[in-house]
Amino acid sequence: MRRRLVLLITALALSAVPATPAWGARVFGPGDGVQATLTAGRTLELRFTGASAAGVKAGQVLRVSCSAHPDPAGLLFVGSGDDVTPSGSGKVATGGVLRVQLDRVAPVDECDVWRLDGEELWPPIVARAALDPAGASWVDEVVRALPLSDLLGRARSSKAYVPAASVVGGNVVALGGQTASVPSGQLGYWTDGAAHAVAATTSAAGRRLVVEDLGAGMLRTNVLEQAGVLDGLLFGLGASEITGTASEAHPSPYKGKEALGAHDGVRAAFAGRRLTIRFTRRSAAVFRALVGRRVEVSCVRRPAPGLFGGTLAPPVVHAARARVPRRGGTLTVSLGGTGDLCAVGDAGTLVALFAATAAGHWWSADVAAINVLDQLPDSLAAPGGTAYLTPAAIVAKHPRLLAMSSQGAAVPAGRVGVWTDGAQHALVAVTSPSGRRFVLADEGEGVLRTNVYAELLGLAYLGTG
């Protein structure tokens, strides 16, 4: 499949910070005079003219990262090869010219330009440059789609989406219905007054761009990347009691590929705000390897299923550092509050991830069910195909998967169910032991529907020490 969908699941589950820097200052594009040429697939020349000339200065150090973007209205679950992103950096010369030697040759259609000469932890994007019509279309959709997530965030109160009358004004108009078209250059908003809301706009090519909150953590969008939906959900929501760099100067002795959990013998329980973690069975050896090191323990409560604004209370991470004792196989730490899922981090390495409450147990079960999606093959279509294979044909090649007779067919826990119409629509589903069902659905024309991401938001803020 477009592997980035599954990779995003993994990244959200394991990352403590957003994968992409936040935006805030103006980002210049082709319409502002940003011009780009690529010679021999490696020598990139950027010219900042017109309005964009004010965004750079001679001697400024900039970094460039380039990408190729598949047809945004094409199949979602298809192979697209490795996500190669040629990159490089250089100084802006007099006249607003930046020349960069990219570190590799690969098909690309658009480049992002980042500032490197500031003090920001996540330096902002300065500009986006198009190398061909496909890149120009991508940049146009990014510019138009980025405000959509913000619109839904502003329109959500603590209990429901506010009426359109409270949001419209400026370039925001009320939509006559959830599928209504949007005048060019404007943002459209619709809500049922409860948990369902739509933000939409129109690209220069006439494609309707939409971010839709269906309620209960279900997202529907055809601009997941262009609108920075995941970045918007993650950036700035977390608040931790521990800040700064890792507490240990030397790398962690833990080299496991996955974090330890209950299946490895990690057990934990709160007594008030005091958390006791026991390392038994296989995890006992890891405990002994960590003796004397200062690790970070962090815990977070499970957020209510939600996506934007008031649907999510900012997940506060209670965290503290503690030195691993020499005996007993038990680590005890006092935190500022309790949490459902907890993590032990050592020098930037996630050592353990475990439940500390009953709610955490079911949350962990749901996350484990989502991780089963890693069984998906790279593509649900034939190589170079423009239509999905039938469920029977997919399962014949990948017996671990379960062919579904319909989109709503039951899927046993531990299995990944697959349904397609043999054409442009597909759905994969898993069922958690909690009874919750998680889906990734391609509804055609590049529209993704999923309730996966809302389950991983709180998890993304657990510290890794």
Side-chain angles (χ1 to χ4, degrees):
M1 60 190 301
R2 268 186 204 167
R3 201 60 180 171
R4 58 175 173 263
L5 291 177
V6 171
L7 289 177
L8 280 169
I9 295 170
T10 304
L12 274 172
L14 297 180
S15 174
V17 295
T20 304
W23 53 88
R26 180 176 178 181
V27 178
F28 297 101
D32 303 303
V34 180
Q35 304 170 13
T37 56
L38 184 62
T39 305
R42 201 155 190 169
T43 302
L44 178 69
E45 180 176 286
L46 295 173
R47 290 184 176 272
F48 297 90
T49 66
S52 69
V56 300
K57 59 184 178 181
Q60 186 176 30
V61 178
L62 299 175
R63 182 165 183 81
V64 177
S65 177
C66 302
S67 303
H69 301 93
D71 179 5
L75 301 179
L76 291 178
F77 307 151
V78 294
S80 57
D82 296 330
D83 291 327
V84 177
T85 55
S87 61
S89 59
K91 288 185 179 181
V92 178
T94 302
V97 177
L98 175 68
R99 293 184 179 87
V100 175
Q101 287 296 116
L102 299 179
D103 58 4
R104 69 192 71 189
V105 175
V108 294
D109 55 40
E110 178 266 343
C111 299
D112 292 339
V113 184
W114 311 79
R115 191 172 70 211
L116 287 184
D117 56 352
E119 298 295 328
E120 296 88 353
L121 180 59
W122 298 294
I125 296 178
V126 175
R128 296 183 177 91
L131 296 171
D132 59 22
S137 177
W138 175 266
V139 172
D140 172 72
E141 290 199 359
V142 169
V143 171
R144 295 171 188 265
L146 274 175
L148 298 179
S149 296
D150 178 64
L151 173 57
L152 289 184
R154 290 186 287 110
R156 176 74 190 194
S157 71
S158 60
K159 295 182 179 180
Y161 282 100
V162 301
S166 302
V167 178
V168 298
N171 69 334
V172 179
V173 299
L175 296 177
Q178 62 196 77
T179 61
S181 59
V182 189
S184 178
Q186 294 184 317
L187 304 176
Y189 171 73
W190 173 92
T191 181
D192 64 356
H196 188 180
V198 174
T201 190
T202 304
S203 74
R207 193 167 90 102
R208 186 174 188 268
L209 314 178
V210 61
V211 178
E212 182 173 6
D213 184 350
L214 294 167
M218 186 70 77
L219 171 72
R220 185 177 183 271
T221 182
N222 60 355
V223 283
L224 182 73
E225 294 175 89
Q226 297 96 311
V229 175
L230 298 181
D231 300 325
L233 294 177
L234 286 171
F235 191 82
L237 287 178
S240 174
E241 296 164 346
I242 291 289
T243 58
T245 58
S247 57
E248 286 286 348
H250 300 289
S252 175
Y254 181 65
K255 306 300 180 183
K257 294 182 179 180
E258 297 180 354
L260 299 173
H263 57 287
D264 301 299
V266 180
R267 300 286 185 269
F270 274 101
R273 296 180 178 181
R274 191 173 180 84
L275 178 67
T276 299
I277 312 165
R278 293 181 174 84
F279 294 78
T280 67
R281 295 164 38 200
R282 287 187 295 175
S283 68
V286 175
F287 180 91
R288 291 192 292 271
L290 295 174
V291 163
R293 294 179 67 86
R294 281 176 56 81
V295 298
E296 179 179 311
V297 179
S298 52
C299 297
V300 63
R301 286 191 178 276
R302 184 176 194 173
L307 292 167
F308 300 99
T311 56
L312 281 178
V316 176
V317 179
H318 297 291
R321 292 192 175 108
R323 194 170 298 280
V324 179
R326 294 190 175 278
R327 296 180 178 84
T330 299
L331 180 65
T332 302
V333 59
S334 294
L335 301 171
T338 62
D340 298 312
L341 271 183
C342 300
V344 174
D346 177 41
T349 297
L350 184 62
V351 175
L353 181 64
F354 50 90
T357 66
H361 167 77
W362 292 117
W363 187 10
S364 180
D366 288 346
V367 171
I370 291 170
N371 285 339
V372 176
L373 290 170
D374 192 51
Q375 294 178 10
L376 287 169
D378 288 341
S379 179
L380 300 184
T386 57
Y388 288 118
L389 298 171
T390 65
I394 294 170
V395 172
K397 297 175 63 175
H398 307 281
R400 289 196 299 175
L401 305 181
L402 175 68
M404 299 166 59
S405 59
S406 67
Q407 296 189 55
V411 179
R415 299 290 300 276
V416 177
V418 179
W419 172 89
T420 79
D421 63 356
Q424 309 299 307
H425 299 81
L427 179 144
V428 295
V430 295
T431 304
S432 169
S434 71
R436 298 196 63 192
R437 178 184 174 94
F438 298 100
V439 301
L440 286 166
D442 182 350
E443 296 188 346
E445 298 298 321
V447 176
L448 170 71
R449 178 172 58 85
T450 182
N451 59 347
V452 164
Y453 301 125
E455 287 306 313
L456 302 174
L457 293 179
L459 200 65
Y461 292 101
L462 286 177
T464 56

